[in-house]
Amino acid sequence: MQTLYRTLFFIFLVVTAQLGIAQSDMAKKEAQFYSIVDVPIPKDVVLEVGGMTLTDDDKLGVSTRRGEVWVIDKPYSKSPSYKRFASGMHEVLGLNYRDNSFYLAQRGELTKLEDKDNDGEADVYKTIYTWPLSGNYHDYSYGPKFMDNGDMLVTLNLSWIGHGASLVKWRGWMLKITPKGEMTPIATGLRSPSGFVINDAGDVFYSENQGDWVGSGRITHLEKGTFAGNPEGLVWTDDPKSPLKLKKDDIEEQSGLSLYEYAKKVPELRAPAIWLPHTILGISTSDMIYDTTKGNFGPFEGQMFVGDQGHSKIMRVYMEKVNGVYQGAVFPFVEGFSSGILRMLWGSDNSMFVGMTSRGWSSTGRKMFGLQRLVWNGKVPFEIKTMKAEDDGFLLEFTKPIDKKLGADLASYNVTTFNYLYHNTYGSPIVDQQKGEVTQVKVSDDGRSVKLTVKGMRLGFIHQLKLPDLKAKSGEKLLHDTGYYTLNEVPGGTLKSEPIETNAGKNGVKQPKRVNEMPLLWVNGPTEKIVISTKPGLKYDIEELKLKRRSRVAITFKNNDDMLHNLVITDRGEASVNEVGDKALHLGLDGADLNYVPDSELVLVHTGIVQPESEETIYFDVPNTAGEYWIVCTFPGHSASMRIKLIVE
């Protein structure tokens, strides 16, 4: 059976590679500076990467979702060798190495692996600490990360029962565990905390995915007693060990406020240091690492790199501390990885190992798993290096001197502010979108920095800055011309940016092709009623649908998944559905208002965005022309796999 599985799986990989998505134009530009290099994986190894670490002798340890730990010798070469160190564990989504032993988080415990006889295989599987399991599929566990004193941090995912839930003790928490197995709960409000990192100052940050109570991907600074936003973990605050006394019922489900504003009412609630706009900078934020290469990975020393599982790409974060509060800007960095990024790790050669997995968590990188390295070729891209907050604007630093004439032109800079709602609903539309205005520009003498005076800055908002026409002195355009700054504080504590009075954004945009009321001409109702649901792996529950031309069809889309989806019917031909899916990826800040459906003649009819455990019915006049049409989810990152072939007979 195992041989049959491997054969079928290999065939799947070959077919997937042949059908692979062409490299994007942006990925081609990025490849001029950073190369994505495959680390070869033996055909009989299913390396669904859950964790990565380096041993003292520079071998790469990799844990997998299938409960194994592999040790890879010569991982930088074209011919690395693999040896299975341990197996039989339960979904290992974190790995670390210390004192000649591996440490890892399984679903229900923190484990230490020891090789007593030095034969390259674990002899001792030692349980350091256990936590309860509910049996729910969503009970993922992550870590550990070592603190300076040798204590370890782990994070525990919430269960999923149509919404996040802490069904057993400490789900939705970060825990500190000593090598002797003594546990202290640190912080809660976590939903899906797959990535967390400790900076040089000893401060801890964790990444979060969009979901209930989480409007968009975000990075939050955690301290003992922090509440990060999802109230499900608060059911355990009666425990004497809990550093919080806040209760779940203390949090309003629909306050109508942003998280930043609601935090003024709840002192324990921590506003994110960084927001990653959903579908624009990924859809499922994963691992984070700091650039510790001392300039050997490009001009971004000390900055943070953040992976995204759904969009198979990496973002770059410049973070600063203002009035004791962390905040900063996030920029695109590199896209085009082969699978969904879950883990990142520095190699001894200053390249970045990128570990990936896609099973059940579909990604734009079409392979089910992968291991690659990101290598800098020594060329410096023209980028916004840093973006710092001022009390009346921003200070930008560039990696190269800019064209001073273009840099001094107010029209070179576009600012838009926006926010997300803090509520129990899954995700949030972009709200309170407003144009800002750059009123003054001061370019430094060396052309490497610019001080912008901005009208319309707002505390607690994300500030999108676009510089589409700015060029370097050498003539090259910015590799990435957009950044997103999360403004929680300003130097001095008083915002001096002049406000702008304007109407709120475009919430409730009318879309004529969202036909969710039965047409008046259908006096006898629909000729056919169809129900389409979802199944795991970003799939609809059917792959093909046949309809008679000129029939009247009511299609009810039931989203029984734990993610947002829509249902869009496109015109004939696979080129049509590909074009619609690509346009949906580039809707930017307007995407949520438009239900991620582009205004295109190739779209015939569509639903809105349907929340988990919700449904919507649309009414469809089947075309008179027979042929192959398509049904697709155009939520960014879903269209490649979430399709139904619609045959009009």
Side-chain angles (χ1 to χ4, degrees):
M1 180 60 72
Q2 189 176 25
T3 301
L4 175 61
Y5 168 78
R6 288 172 177 166
T7 301
L8 292 174
F9 186 73
F10 177 69
I11 292 171
F12 167 81
L13 288 181
V14 171
V15 172
T16 301
Q18 291 173 344
L19 297 176
I21 300 173
Q23 189 182 40
S24 70
D25 289 339
M26 178 53 71
K28 293 175 182 176
K29 294 177 182 178
E30 293 162 347
Q32 299 175 52
F33 307 95
Y34 291 90
S35 301
I36 299 174
V37 180
D38 287 330
V39 177
I41 301 173
K43 294 177 181 177
D44 60 347
V45 176
V46 182
L47 202 72
E48 296 180 336
V49 179
M52 294 191 299
T53 189
L54 285 176
T55 65
D56 292 338
D57 54 357
D58 205 27
K59 295 178 181 178
L60 180 66
V62 178
S63 66
T64 77
R65 296 173 64 196
R66 294 171 182 263
E68 300 173 324
V69 172
W70 292 84
V71 175
I72 306 174
D73 193 13
K74 299 181 177 61
Y76 313 94
S77 72
K78 295 181 180 179
S79 302
S81 62
Y82 285 63
K83 184 174 179 60
R84 190 167 68 178
F85 183 81
S87 62
M89 295 172 288
H90 193 175
E91 196 157 35
V92 185
L93 294 180
L95 188 67
N96 218 317
Y97 187 84
R98 193 181 181 99
D99 298 330
N100 205 36
S101 299
F102 286 104
Y103 293 78
L104 54 89
Q106 300 188 57
R107 281 238 164 179
E109 70 171 59
L110 177 61
T111 309
K112 179 181 180 180
L113 301 180
E114 298 179 84
D115 178 11
K116 293 288 191 180
D117 57 8
N118 294 315
D119 66 348
E121 296 182 6
D123 306 305
V124 177
Y125 294 59
K126 181 180 179 180
T127 299
I128 297 176
Y129 185 79
T130 63
W131 45 82
L133 288 175
S134 70
N136 188 277
Y137 83 98
H138 217 242
D139 283 3
Y140 308 119
S141 304
Y142 311 100
K145 298 285 186 181
F146 279 101
M147 304 176 72
D148 288 342
N149 64 359
D151 291 346
M152 291 165 279
L153 297 176
V154 298
T155 55
L156 306 184
N157 221 83
L158 289 177
S159 306
W160 182 261
I161 53 173
H163 62 85
S166 189
L167 300 180
V168 290
K169 204 72 171 283
W170 307 122
R171 284 278 148 198
W173 285 74
M174 172 174 280
L175 310 178
K176 182 180 74 172
I177 301 170
T178 70
K180 293 182 179 180
E182 299 166 343
M183 187 278 291
T184 303
I186 298 297
T188 190
L190 287 56
R191 175 187 174 272
S192 186
S194 66
F196 59 104
V197 69
I198 305 173
N199 70 7
D200 288 342
D203 293 326
V204 180
F205 299 86
Y206 97 103
S207 65
E208 186 63 272
N209 292 322
Q210 186 195 63
D212 45 335
W213 297 99
V214 186
S216 181
R218 64 195 189 202
I219 297 170
T220 303
H221 173 213
L222 296 181
E223 297 177 287
K224 190 170 184 179
T226 298
F227 170 53
N230 191 303
E232 294 294 328
L234 295 174
V235 297
W236 310 114
T237 55
D238 284 335
D239 189 285
K241 289 185 175 181
S242 171
L244 298 100
K245 298 305 176 185
L246 191 67
K247 303 300 180 188
K248 180 180 174 182
D249 291 342
D250 293 336
I251 308 301
E252 297 174 63
E253 292 187 341
Q254 296 284 333
S255 69
L257 300 176
S258 68
L259 194 155
Y260 175 90
E261 290 297 328
Y262 199 79
K264 294 177 181 178
K265 302 171 63 174
V266 180
E268 299 91 336
L269 180 59
R270 176 69 54 83
I274 300 287
W275 284 100
L276 290 89
H278 196 67
T279 74
I280 299 171
L281 292 180
I283 58 173
S284 49
T285 314
S286 58
D287 210 4
M288 302 176 289
I289 59 171
Y290 281 96
D291 186 345
T292 57
T293 66
K294 299 180 180 180
N296 290 304
F297 191 72
F300 308 115
E301 182 179 352
Q303 297 192 26
M304 180 190 289
F305 297 103
V306 184
D308 190 80
Q309 197 281 330
H311 277 183
S312 304
K313 64 184 180 183
I314 295 173
M315 277 64 68
R316 173 175 60 89
V317 169
Y318 169 76
M319 196 179 293
E320 59 179 343
K321 205 171 187 179
V322 180
N323 304 329
V325 176
Y326 281 107
Q327 60 186 37
V330 57
F331 307 90
F333 185 58
V334 173
E335 61 185 58
F337 291 90
S338 64
S339 187
I341 297 173
L342 193 64
R343 295 287 170 245
M344 301 181 296
L345 177 74
W346 292 117
S348 61
D349 66 345
N350 297 308
S351 67
M352 183 193 295
F353 285 104
V354 181
M356 296 165 283
T357 176
S358 183
R359 173 173 56 91
W361 308 328
S362 188
S363 60
T364 55
R366 302 307 306 141
K367 291 189 176 181
M368 193 176 287
F369 57 83
L371 180 60
Q372 296 180 311
R373 288 191 304 129
L374 187 61
V375 182
W376 181 47
N377 65 11
K379 297 179 181 179
V380 176
F382 178 42
E383 296 273 39
I384 305 170
K385 183 178 180 179
T386 65
M387 182 176 179
K388 300 177 182 179
E390 301 282 329
D391 60 8
D392 62 350
F394 294 100
L395 179 63
L396 309 181
E397 180 188 2
F398 299 91
T399 58
K400 296 181 179 182
I402 64 171
D403 180 312
K404 288 188 176 181
K405 182 178 180 180
L406 287 173
D409 186 353
L410 298 179
S412 294
Y413 308 91
N414 299 312
V415 175
T416 304
T417 60
F418 63 96
N419 221 327
Y420 297 103
L421 292 172
Y422 174 57
H423 53 202
N424 67 338
T425 309
Y426 195 103
S428 167
I430 287 171
V431 297
D432 294 338
Q433 183 173 326
Q434 177 179 295
K435 287 287 186 183
E437 181 184 350
V438 176
T439 59
Q440 187 177 5
V441 180
K442 292 183 179 180
V443 182
S444 65
D445 291 341
D446 62 4
R448 285 187 172 269
S449 64
V450 170
K451 165 63 170 68
L452 304 179
T453 301
V454 179
K455 184 178 179 181
M457 294 171 67
R458 297 189 285 175
L459 291 173
F461 282 73
I462 303 102
H463 291 62
Q464 175 188 265
L465 175 68
K466 293 183 70 71
L467 300 83
D469 300 318
L470 187 66
K471 294 182 180 179
K473 183 178 179 181
S474 59
E476 61 189 296
K477 298 188 72 172
L478 284 164
L479 180 59
H480 302 101
D481 63 11
T482 307
Y484 298 86
Y485 193 101
T486 300
L487 188 70
N488 297 318
E489 294 278 344
V490 293
T494 301
L495 182 63
K496 297 179 181 178
S497 172
E498 185 179 346
I500 291 178
E501 297 297 330
T502 184
N503 293 326
K506 303 189 302 180
N507 296 336
V509 171
K510 178 65 176 175
Q511 292 180 283
K513 294 180 180 179
R514 185 182 177 186
V515 187
N516 52 11
E517 294 184 7
M518 191 170 69
L520 296 176
L521 294 176
W522 290 20
V523 291
N524 296 320
T527 55
E528 190 170 357
K529 294 181 179 180
I530 295 168
V531 176
I532 297 175
S533 301
T534 61
K535 66 180 183 181
L538 290 186
K539 302 283 186 182
Y540 293 113
D541 63 346
I542 58 173
E543 296 181 1
E544 186 175 287
L545 176 64
K546 294 182 179 180
L547 297 175
K548 294 181 180 179
R549 63 190 184 98
R550 300 177 67 181
S551 57
R552 299 185 302 275
V553 180
I555 299 177
T556 299
F557 173 45
K558 293 187 174 183
N559 182 10
N560 50 343
D561 199 1
D562 57 2
M563 297 185 233
L564 300 172
H565 296 297
N566 64 13
L567 185 148
V568 181
I569 301 179
T570 65
D571 210 344
R572 286 179 299 166
E574 198 161 3
S576 296
V577 68
N578 290 340
E579 182 175 336
V580 169
D582 182 65
K583 286 184 175 181
L585 279 171
H586 297 92
L587 290 174
L589 297 183
D590 294 328
D593 283 338
L594 298 173
N595 293 293
Y596 300 103
V597 181
D599 182 11
S600 169
E601 61 183 12
L602 299 177
V603 173
L604 303 182
V605 66
H606 64 89
T607 68
I609 286 294
V610 180
Q611 293 277 333
E613 307 300 327
S614 301
E615 63 182 57
E616 181 175 333
T617 298
I618 55 174
Y619 300 88
F620 176 46
D621 285 298
V622 179
N624 187 38
T625 304
E628 292 183 355
Y629 297 73
W630 287 89
I631 297 173
V632 62
C633 175
T634 58
F635 192 91
H638 295 187
S639 66
S641 61
M642 202 165 177
R643 299 184 178 192
I644 300 170
K645 182 183 289 186
L646 171 58
I647 300 174
V648 175
E649 299 179 313

